[in-house]
Amino acid sequence: MKKVIFIMVMALMGAKVSAQNATQPGEKYAYCIMQCFGKLFSSKYVVTLDFGEVISKRKQIYENGKKKHFNSNGESLNYMGKRGWEVVSTYTDRDFKQQLVLYFVLKKKIESDDDIMNGLEVQDSED
């Protein structure tokens, strides 16, 4: 009998934890695909962002008016995390040169569409 009660209590606790992680009614999220690839002849990484706009053009991160290059994928994730973005999933694919490219699907809780770019300085990518 004690085992049955223990199992029921554990099941209820698990349900409560998963309910806390669920999206609450009225919550709004923005999503972004972050593409990370090595810079040619360099140890730096280039990051582009796709916000799923109607005319989708990837954006490159700028800082103080200059292109931002990262030392690692982890640095780029920390950069985006400090601006409210969190990783949903990751995947890899090959570009037109058959080089491996790492993609991160990110999400950010927003109040309005104006919040999407908060903390980011971006410009259209040249490639």
Side-chain angles (χ1 to χ4, degrees):
M1 183 65 169
K2 288 182 182 181
K3 287 182 182 180
V4 172
I5 293 173
F6 177 75
I7 291 171
M8 289 177 62
V9 168
M10 295 306 286
L12 290 173
M13 286 176 58
K16 181 175 173 87
V17 169
S18 65
Q20 290 175 346
N21 292 333
T23 302
Q24 300 299 318
E27 284 185 344
K28 187 174 180 180
Y29 287 92
Y31 292 87
C32 170
I33 307 295
M34 183 171 77
Q35 177 183 15
C36 299
F37 52 94
K39 187 176 174 190
L40 193 60
F41 306 116
S42 174
S43 62
K44 302 283 184 180
Y45 286 85
V46 176
V47 171
T48 60
L49 305 171
D50 178 357
F51 294 98
E53 298 152 324
V54 176
I55 301 174
S56 188
K57 178 134 180 144
R58 290 180 300 171
K59 309 280 187 203
Q60 193 162 3
I61 298 172
Y62 279 68
E63 198 168 62
N64 301 322
K66 295 182 179 181
K67 285 183 190 178
K68 173 85 172 139
H69 298 286
F70 297 91
N71 293 313
S72 68
N73 291 324
E75 182 185 7
S76 63
L77 286 170
N78 286 332
Y79 183 90
M80 294 299 284
K82 289 176 185 174
R83 286 149 183 83
W85 294 90
E86 60 184 80
V87 176
V88 176
S89 69
T90 63
Y91 63 96
T92 58
D93 199 0
R94 298 210 177 263
D95 65 6
F96 65 95
K97 297 177 189 173
Q98 294 303 309
Q99 294 177 332
L100 197 61
V101 179
L102 181 59
Y103 294 88
F104 296 93
V105 179
L106 307 173
K107 76 175 183 177
K108 178 180 179 179
K109 187 175 177 180
I110 59 172
E111 298 294 322
S112 71
D113 289 345
D114 297 333
D115 296 338
I116 295 171
M117 296 293 187
N118 280 354
L120 289 174
E121 180 185 343
V122 296
Q123 293 182 17
D124 289 347
S125 179
E126 291 139 9
D127 54 346

